[in-house]
Amino acid sequence: MAAATTGEETHAPLISNRLLTRLTIGVAALAALTVAISVGGRLMGERIALAGHTESTDVLDIIVGQDHVRLPANTIRFEEQRRIGRAERIDLYLTWPEMAGYSNAERLRFNDAGRPESLVFLNLSQSTMSKDMSGRLGPIYSQLFDERSQPGPAGLVLRRLKGNSAYGDEVFFTGTLPDGADYAVRCMMPTDEKQSTSADCQRDIHIGRDLSVLYRFSSRLLPQWQAIEARMRDYVGRALVEDGRVPTTRAR
């Protein structure tokens, strides 16, 4: 005979307290992970967007050879060079014609290879030669020019080189600065202006005690050669510090 029922059947809960606790913890962990991914992704996105740039305008005091320069961090191109103290070289990039460092508002100018005329580049190092490019024009470069010459932009003269020179397809543009000094710049001229880069032309000058400034710019800017020369000299000249003392504070 079947066993009698009591009428007071006990029912186990469909979801136990232990399972409910585990689910709550899991949901909380998932929410925390989502927040972490969101924040981390945003920070990583900002870092990728900066791509080595910095908006910091903290001033860095750097000694190069015998010269002391004071520069905003956002003008220094490479992160490893943004530190106070001695350096063999400093690479700078600046907007043209403003001569300003990197900012988020101008990020397209720093990242758009299709606008090479919007930036100029400088390399500061200790001089290794007694004469800069203008000083080498007469005793060295003029010996390498062939007889071909033609008018260049803004009063410059385009000078081609002899076939046996070590400069390949490069050409020189020469001229006279407002103070009567010689001017010379080396260029690798693109066959199509659309192929111009920010390093088509380069020139080096001596400033300070023993500082060599090599600056590079797009061939599209050749008509502005006098303004570029003046701005470069003015910018580096204002960055030079005469007392030679280096503060111990660091950039943030």
Side-chain angles (χ1 to χ4, degrees):
M1 184 175 71
T5 59
T6 63
E8 297 180 358
E9 297 177 355
T10 58
H11 298 281
L14 294 176
I15 301 177
S16 68
N17 289 336
R18 179 179 294 179
L19 180 58
L20 185 61
T21 300
R22 289 179 177 177
L23 287 173
T24 301
I25 293 173
V27 170
L30 183 61
L33 180 61
T34 300
V35 171
I37 291 173
S38 175
V39 173
R42 178 167 55 82
L43 293 175
M44 183 174 290
E46 291 174 355
R47 187 171 181 83
I48 291 173
L50 283 172
H53 306 304
T54 181
E55 288 192 279
S56 172
T57 56
D58 286 354
V59 173
L60 305 180
D61 286 85
I62 305 173
I63 298 292
V64 180
Q66 301 179 45
D67 291 277
H68 173 189
V69 291
R70 183 169 290 160
L71 298 161
N74 67 339
T75 66
I76 300 177
R77 188 178 178 190
F78 302 116
E79 184 176 0
E80 63 271 18
Q81 294 180 348
R82 298 178 194 134
R83 52 175 55 89
I84 290 169
R86 289 196 170 273
E88 290 187 4
R89 59 180 283 169
I90 315 170
D91 293 280
L92 308 179
Y93 53 179
L94 302 165
T95 58
W96 177 260
E98 301 88 352
M99 300 294 280
Y102 178 85
S103 70
N104 189 54
E106 298 291 351
R107 65 185 182 277
L108 292 179
R109 294 173 69 177
F110 284 82
N111 296 326
D112 186 358
R115 299 174 59 191
E117 72 281 4
S118 66
L119 296 178
V120 290
F121 293 82
L122 299 82
N123 165 249
L124 312 184
S125 62
Q126 187 173 17
S127 299
T128 57
M129 292 181 284
S130 60
K131 298 181 181 295
D132 61 12
M133 188 168 283
S134 288
R136 300 192 300 271
L137 177 59
I140 299 176
Y141 299 138
S142 63
Q143 311 302 313
L144 302 175
F145 296 153
D146 66 14
E147 296 181 356
R148 295 174 296 168
S149 67
Q150 62 190 73
L156 291 174
V157 176
L158 187 155
R159 302 301 305 265
R160 301 189 184 278
L161 295 150
K162 297 175 181 177
N164 59 356
S165 75
Y167 291 94
D169 294 329
E170 288 183 285
V171 298
F172 276 73
F173 288 91
T174 61
T176 303
L177 290 163
D179 64 359
D182 287 331
Y183 174 88
V185 61
R186 288 168 50 190
C187 296
M188 178 67 77
M189 299 299 290
T191 55
D192 185 339
E193 186 179 302
K194 294 180 180 179
Q195 298 175 339
S196 175
T197 73
S198 56
D200 292 339
C201 298
Q202 70 175 42
R203 168 172 164 78
D204 64 84
I205 55 179
H206 287 176
I207 295 180
R209 294 186 180 93
D210 194 30
L211 192 65
S212 177
V213 180
L214 173 69
Y215 67 81
R216 295 176 286 119
F217 59 93
S218 168
S219 56
R220 297 178 189 177
L221 293 177
L222 276 171
Q224 301 179 56
W225 64 275
Q226 291 192 53
I228 293 174
E229 175 81 1
R231 294 281 182 89
M232 293 295 179
R233 289 185 177 275
D234 177 68
Y235 187 87
V236 179
R238 286 187 290 108
L240 284 167
V241 180
E242 294 300 327
D243 58 23
R245 292 176 295 175
V246 182
T248 58
T249 55
R250 298 190 65 83
R252 295 188 296 274

